[in-house]
Amino acid sequence: MILVAGGTGTLGTRVVRAITASGTPVRVLTRNADRAKALRADGVEIAVGDVRDPATLVPAMHGATTVVSAVQGFAGLDPGGATAVDLGGNENLLRAAEAADVRRFILISAVGASPDSPLDLRRVKHQAETTARRSRLETTIIRPTVYLETWLGILTEMIETKRATTVFGRGDNPINFVSADDVAALVERATHTPELAGATVEIGGPGNLTLNELSRTLLARHNVPEKINHVPLPVLRAVATLLRPIKPAVAALARFGIIMDSTDMTLAADTARATVPNLPLTSLDAVLAHPSGPAPGPTSRPA
Ligand SMILES: NC(=O)c1ccc[n+]([C@@H]2O[C@H](COP(=O)([O-])OP(=O)(O)OC[C@H]3O[C@@H](n4cnc5c(N)ncnc54)[C@H](OP(=O)(O)O)[C@@H]3O)[C@@H](O)[C@H]2O)c1
């Protein structure tokens, strides 16, 4: 049994699909069973719980041999944000997994996780990684670049409601986007690939794209005349500082926007693909052709 915390999210639903396609039973941890209804119809077990509440994690761990953590509290509306979920929540999951004699723990972190990052999210991801490595569990840490599907979703919603997109800063910084389908394939491989036990790997997509390029592609697909609004960096800086005490989620998003527009968002080395052969490398065109991901295929698990 594999427990997927965050199994209702962009990555998590794809992880659940990839693992169940390999014939392994999956349980999803969610705060709201309604969000997981469609998964239950696919034979997935549901455990209702909150990573911030350790007591709810005990029944969720029952019989689990592997735990995947794909949770995130970044820019969410819940109290505590990334610190409560990505750090505290992962610490709780690790403790509960140790107590339940789980063997393997797969932590989804992020490229750029480091103790001195200007972004709180990346600092807490680094702290969670450190806690995971110090645990008694066999740990795999996966650091993806930015998910293509997340940004296609955000920009598409803007186009459908405003017939325009709004991007951070100039919008011309090259960013490595990875398909969440490719990350899910890596997570599935991490559940049974010995080379990934104890490893930290980074995974990205086939190339770099700017938010302007992504906007243009989507506007053209929607037959909407090109209109890209820009939030200038000084405005983002003001929002990041002034809204921190009153609207921390908005401030966190503004800080992320500054990073996305003004720092190196490319990927130096795709260490996941160097370690694991035959991982899919999904292009923007392929994601646009199949937005909810490819149909579950035959398992990549060795016989
Ligand atoms: N999106 C990106 O571009 C990106 C890039 C790099 C790394 N990552 C990492 O990849 C992972 C998945 O990201 P995503 O974008 O797929 O996430 P997402 O779509 O925003 O989904 C977040 C998930 O976290 C769960 N969650 C949030 N708070 C929780 C809590 N207190 N207790 C239990 N579950 C909770 C949600 O479950 P319920 O709402 O059902 O409870 C949901 O399944 C995260 O670790 C994220 O940091 C994301």
Side-chain angles (χ1 to χ4, degrees):
M1 169 66 70
I2 296 182
L3 176 69
V4 183
T8 58
T10 303
L11 174 65
T13 47
R14 290 166 165 85
V15 167
V16 170
R17 211 184 301 146
I19 297 174
T20 49
S22 76
T24 306
V26 171
R27 184 182 298 139
V28 162
L29 178 79
T30 174
R31 291 163 296 172
N32 179 350
D34 280 351
R35 266 171 66 74
K37 253 190 210 147
L39 297 173
R40 199 194 298 267
D42 292 339
V44 171
E45 275 186 35
I46 308 300
V48 175
D50 188 318
V51 292
R52 296 166 299 181
D53 179 358
T56 65
L57 305 180
V58 177
M61 293 288 165
H62 183 71
T65 52
T66 295
V67 172
V68 176
S69 172
V71 295
Q72 72 155 344
F74 171 69
L77 298 175
D78 294 328
T83 304
V85 176
D86 298 75
L87 179 55
N90 276 318
E91 287 173 347
N92 291 337
L93 276 173
L94 282 157
R95 264 194 296 270
E98 283 184 326
D101 284 331
V102 166
R103 189 170 55 85
R104 189 169 283 201
F105 194 96
I106 301 168
L107 175 70
I108 312 302
S109 181
V111 162
S114 103
D116 48 12
S117 170
L119 203 61
D120 326 26
L121 175 70
R122 290 176 172 177
R123 291 197 303 277
V124 298
K125 286 287 195 193
H126 176 266
Q127 277 177 272
E129 288 184 2
T130 305
T131 309
R133 286 191 199 98
R134 286 184 185 147
S135 75
R136 284 190 281 108
L137 305 167
E138 214 173 78
T139 310
T140 302
I141 293 164
I142 294 178
R143 293 176 173 175
T145 57
V146 181
Y147 301 161
L148 203 39
E149 290 83 350
T150 302
W151 282 90
L152 291 177
I154 292 169
L155 295 172
T156 299
E157 196 185 329
M158 287 179 190
I159 294 170
E160 286 172 354
T161 55
K162 306 219 159 59
R163 295 183 64 77
T165 65
T166 301
V167 301
F168 300 126
R170 292 177 312 270
D172 59 5
N173 195 28
I175 298 168
N176 185 286
F177 288 93
V178 63
S179 166
D181 289 320
D182 296 358
V183 183
L186 173 62
V187 174
E188 192 278 328
R189 298 282 286 273
T191 63
H192 57 83
T193 301
E195 291 75 22
L196 286 172
T200 298
V201 288
E202 304 204 334
I203 180 168
N208 303 320
L209 285 165
T210 69
L211 284 177
N212 288 340
E213 286 167 341
L214 216 45
S215 293
R216 275 186 218 113
T217 302
L218 286 177
L219 287 161
R221 276 180 73 88
H222 284 76
N223 288 321
V224 172
E226 191 175 312
K227 183 159 186 226
I228 305 172
N229 302 312
H230 297 267
V231 186
L233 283 180
V235 174
L236 286 172
R237 286 195 194 99
V239 170
T241 308
L242 298 175
L243 290 192
R244 193 170 192 144
I246 39 173
K247 288 210 185 289
V250 178
L253 201 57
R255 280 195 298 283
F256 191 63
I258 296 165
I259 297 289
M260 269 186 107
D261 195 54
S262 61
T263 67
D264 182 359
M265 293 290 292
T266 64
L267 180 64
D270 197 319
T271 51
R273 295 180 201 284
T275 311
V276 183
N278 304 323
L279 282 177
L281 185 59
T282 306
S283 66
L284 171 62
D285 286 347
V287 172
L288 289 171
H290 300 283
S292 58
T299 174
S300 54
R301 184 185 286 265

